[in-house]
Amino acid sequence: MKVQLFIVFVFAFLAIFATADLQDEIDAARKKFCGGISVSKPSKGQVFSNPKKIKVTVKRKPNSLAKVVNGVDLYMIKSDGTAKYLGTPWKNSYQLKTSATMTVDLTRAKGAKFPSQYEVRVWVRNEAGPDCTLMSKTFRVKGTSHSNSDEEALVNMDANIDKGCFGIDITQPAIGEHVSGVFPVQIARDSASPVESVTNVELFKVDLENRQPVKVQDAWAGNSLLYESFNVKDSLKENASDDKEYAYFYKLSGITQHEEKCEFYSHPFYIDN
């Protein structure tokens, strides 16, 4: 029985390292085939008057890897940062050497409304490797009426969304949850989020009397590429030295594909001693 348990432990241990090695290979392939290319236009917060003539430009640093732009997806970004996929208004095959510019008609996407704010996802096919998906910066499109209310709607759109700081949610610990010991911190990333990497996850506490936040510790620090999810384990390193009641929350720092710095915050939760 002890031998069987030992064998199970060994296989589990090897599986952890195999998974880590596989993730390293995936990250390396992503950097090799998708590094050096970016969506340079539309620029951040750019405003278009004609939704049928949106210029999308992809640039790359030339190398020996042949690349073709073959699709542009459209997302409408709501005021709360929720991205709604509207379809693929541009499909073609454009050889990407140093630069490629496509004229995209947003009205071909069902559900597109104006005025609103959007981003596009550009698909780049590698002839000898995995496809790449590149997110544009968030841009705005005016309404056809050009009324004062349309102009006000454009002006009042969130600056954080302009930066690409959306699509990240700290899902665990859940709001109001009580945790203890070692507990998971789970981060979910929407596929439409321009946030590409996470650099820090910090734990804060809030005195329930004065509501002042104070940093407690770093739960994780580094620079890791983000996919659909990112998970860390945390525990309270030092218990409070007073009898006050505290709520806790996490702050996540990340960087977008366009090197904009972003911050996200979890819901409040409680850590039981």
Side-chain angles (χ1 to χ4, degrees), residues 182-204:
V182 178
F183 53 88
V185 182
Q186 297 183 355
I187 294 99
R189 175 183 178 271
D190 190 290
S191 61
S193 176
V195 181
E196 184 175 53
S197 60
V198 57
T199 57
N200 203 2
V201 181
E202 302 166 85
L203 178 65
F204 285 78

Side-chain angles (χ1 to χ4, degrees), residues 4-18:
Q4 290 176 330
L5 287 174
F6 177 75
I7 292 173
V8 169
F9 174 78
V10 169
F11 274 103
F13 184 76
L14 292 175
I16 291 172
F17 278 90

Side-chain angles (χ1 to χ4, degrees), residues 11 25 68 82 99 103 171 188 193 221-222 224 243 246 269 273:
F11 274 103
E25 290 179 12
V68 175
T82 303
S99 181
T103 301
T171 58
S193 176
S224 177
D243 295 328
Y246 294 97
F269 64 95
N273 294 329

Side-chain angles (χ1 to χ4, degrees), residues 61-72:
K61 296 177 181 178
N63 55 30
S64 60
L65 303 172
K67 300 179 186 294
V68 175
V69 179
N70 60 0
V72 177

Side-chain angles (χ1 to χ4, degrees), residues 17-30 224-225 227:
F17 278 90
T19 302
D21 289 342
L22 177 60
Q23 189 60 59
D24 288 343
E25 290 179 12
I26 293 172
D27 290 349
R30 180 171 163 179
S224 177
L225 290 173
Y227 294 90

